[in-house]
Amino acid sequence: MAITRRQALASVGAAALASGLAKPAIAAKEPVLIGYLPALTGPSSSTGVGINRGIQLAVQEVNAAGGIDGRQLELITRDTQSDPTKAVNGAAELTHGQKVSVVFGPVNSGESLAVVPLLARANTPQIHPCWVDTLTDPKKYPMCFRNAPTNQQIGAAANRYVVEVLKRKKVAVISDTTGYGTASVNAYVPMLKGMSADVVYQGNVDAANPDLKPELLRMRSAGAEAIMPWSVNAGFLSRIINTRGQMGWDVPIVGQTTLGSGQTQALLEERDYWAKVYPNNFRPVCYAAGGKLSDRTSAFVDRLKSAKIDMGDTLLWWIALGYDSPRMIAEAMKNVGTEPEQIVGYLNKLKEFPGVYGDIAFTADKHDGYPDNEVVMVEANSLKDGAFNLAPGYGA
């Protein structure tokens, strides 16, 4: 049937109008893509495994509550396998292939050292929990934020505990050969010397080395009064603890938070070997006097138990950090949208985001968001549900 020119133009206009109205409705339902670079496998995966449990729970809760203006968060995950090269490949795929709005991770410093410059060149907002000091620089990496402490904060707490609380002046400092391990030794040895401590042993050892007794014998021969290990490798740390126990050497071990993880505990030959082991941890996720958690943390633990999320083989702060991170990203997006510049602008003015792991705040000139006074030392052998008692010498 023939139609008039006016009818044809009306039909085209109606179709165009319908199309114009339909597209935003469809787009509004498209998920918000969040890039995620955890180490879920490999020798440095203990951190990533714990963080992953929290991040998955948070994304589920955000989406159940309606997502971002009706759009669901979708994690695009690439396992770095504890390998900086794989982390770089994953980051390139997330930014150029998937075109994610923001990236969380990597969660280990060795991988972030390789990834941070890449994401900066791609103009992609990044939030990571890695401690190496150079991994944030508002001028060099204006889109990169750290929602965890720096090496300086971690080292200050551990060194103060050894020198001022335990009164140990002769110290052995050991790490693995990862970027994180070597950077930590390079940062902490000068700090110790500045406190008038005598660093009698300093070494970077392959984390796969099955026999660490020669290293500990060197430490003991040098008169070490404390061992300070820096590694996220549970196998490496457990071998240090086991070797000290086999030698019957009653010297405190003070250092990296993984010293107290459930994965490290599982590799100990005797539970008693965990005595006098004092890892870094964080006050908001530690037991106060009387063995109680704060109300905020206690409520979070209850949610973990309800969701049947295991805490026994990991650390509560890892799970809490994972939980807080997508919630902070979602909060930014709800307030200003999903464009990179909007997210960065929001984070540059963030004031004490109320995380379970700790309250995070940023400014345009300071992209390190964790408060100094929340970094503490704990007793490894007090582990319960991923949390610890504060080490002797701390107030409640």
Side-chain angles (χ1 to χ4, degrees):
M1 180 177 67
I3 60 175
T4 68
R5 182 173 180 273
R6 179 175 295 178
Q7 289 173 321
L9 290 173
S11 298
V12 171
L17 180 61
S19 175
L21 291 173
K23 282 185 178 178
I26 294 171
K29 295 180 181 179
E30 292 176 354
V32 179
L33 304 184
I34 306 295
Y36 176 36
L37 290 169
L40 299 176
T41 56
S44 300
S45 60
S46 55
T47 306
V49 169
I51 287 175
N52 190 59
R53 294 176 190 174
I55 204 168
Q56 297 294 339
L57 176 63
V59 170
Q60 290 173 16
E61 289 185 0
V62 169
N63 286 339
I68 309 299
D69 295 330
R71 299 171 66 188
Q72 298 282 280
L73 289 184
E74 182 179 337
L75 286 179
I76 308 298
T77 305
R78 296 295 179 266
D79 179 6
T80 66
Q81 301 176 46
S82 309
D83 182 337
T85 300
K86 289 184 171 60
V88 166
N89 292 340
E93 184 182 352
L94 292 176
T95 54
H96 299 299
Q98 298 291 336
K99 300 188 185 305
V100 298
S101 295
V102 62
V103 169
F104 174 67
V107 300
N108 292 325
S109 292
E111 294 133 59
S112 276
L113 285 165
V115 167
V116 166
L118 185 152
L119 293 179
R121 289 193 296 272
N123 291 317
T124 301
Q126 177 189 13
I127 298 172
H128 69 74
C130 303
W131 295 350
V132 169
D133 297 292
T134 57
L135 286 173
T136 54
D137 183 334
K139 293 182 179 178
K140 193 174 181 180
Y141 310 125
M143 290 191 165
C144 179
F145 298 82
R146 181 193 340 245
N147 63 334
T150 66
N151 257 349
Q152 292 295 311
Q153 291 173 292
I154 291 294
N159 292 344
R160 174 191 165 276
Y161 193 72
V162 168
V163 177
E164 297 180 8
V165 179
L166 297 180
K167 307 296 184 184
R168 307 298 172 110
K169 296 292 187 180
K170 294 183 177 181
V171 184
V173 183
I174 184 171
S175 78
D176 59 28
T177 54
T178 63
Y180 167 71
T182 55
S184 296
V185 170
N186 291 340
Y188 299 159
V189 166
M191 292 171 68
L192 283 164
K193 291 179 178 179
M195 301 173 72
S196 299
D198 183 9
V199 179
V200 298
Y201 169 97
Q202 176 180 342
N204 304 103
V205 181
D206 188 338
N209 188 334
D211 184 10
L212 296 177
K213 188 172 183 179
E215 303 303 324
L216 269 73
L217 286 171
R218 292 187 186 98
M219 297 177 192
R220 188 167 68 176
S221 296
E225 299 170 339
I227 303 172
M228 300 191 73
W230 298 102
S231 171
V232 299
N233 187 307
F236 178 72
L237 295 173
S238 67
R239 286 194 292 278
I240 292 174
I241 299 171
N242 284 332
T243 303
R244 181 197 64 164
Q246 294 160 4
M247 292 168 58
W249 189 18
D250 188 27
V251 62
I253 297 176
V254 182
Q256 219 278 342
T257 185
T258 310
L259 283 165
S261 77
Q263 290 177 315
T264 300
Q265 179 192 13
L267 296 170
L268 297 183
E269 294 171 354
E270 297 182 25
R271 170 80 185 218
D272 289 346
Y273 286 175
W274 235 3
K276 290 191 176 181
V277 175
Y278 305 112
N280 280 112
N281 214 275
F282 308 96
R283 195 182 292 270
V285 287
C286 290
Y287 296 109
K292 293 184 178 180
L293 297 169
S294 69
D295 290 344
R296 184 189 298 178
T297 305
S298 181
F300 175 62
V301 168
D302 288 344
R303 290 202 299 281
L304 293 176
K305 290 179 178 178
S306 296
K308 297 184 172 10
I309 294 175
D310 188 7
M311 294 170 277
D313 64 343
T314 186
L315 295 175
L316 181 58
W317 84 260
W318 285 336
I319 303 175
L321 169 68
Y323 180 78
D324 290 343
S325 299
R327 290 173 55 244
M328 186 167 70
I329 292 169
E331 192 70 19
M333 291 178 170
K334 287 177 183 177
N335 278 278
V336 298
T338 61
E339 292 300 315
E341 292 78 10
Q342 296 171 329
I343 295 170
V344 170
Y346 180 86
L347 293 177
N348 276 334
K349 299 176 182 178
L350 186 67
K351 296 185 184 299
E352 294 188 354
F353 173 81
V356 176
Y357 170 53
D359 293 347
I360 304 298
F362 300 116
T363 69
D365 298 320
K366 188 175 183 293
H367 286 188
D368 297 323
Y370 201 82
D372 292 347
N373 61 354
E374 305 289 35
V375 184
V376 295
M377 309 306 294
V378 296
E379 293 182 293
N381 60 4
S382 68
L383 177 66
K384 178 185 175 184
D385 289 337
F388 302 86
N389 297 331
L390 297 176
Y394 279 95

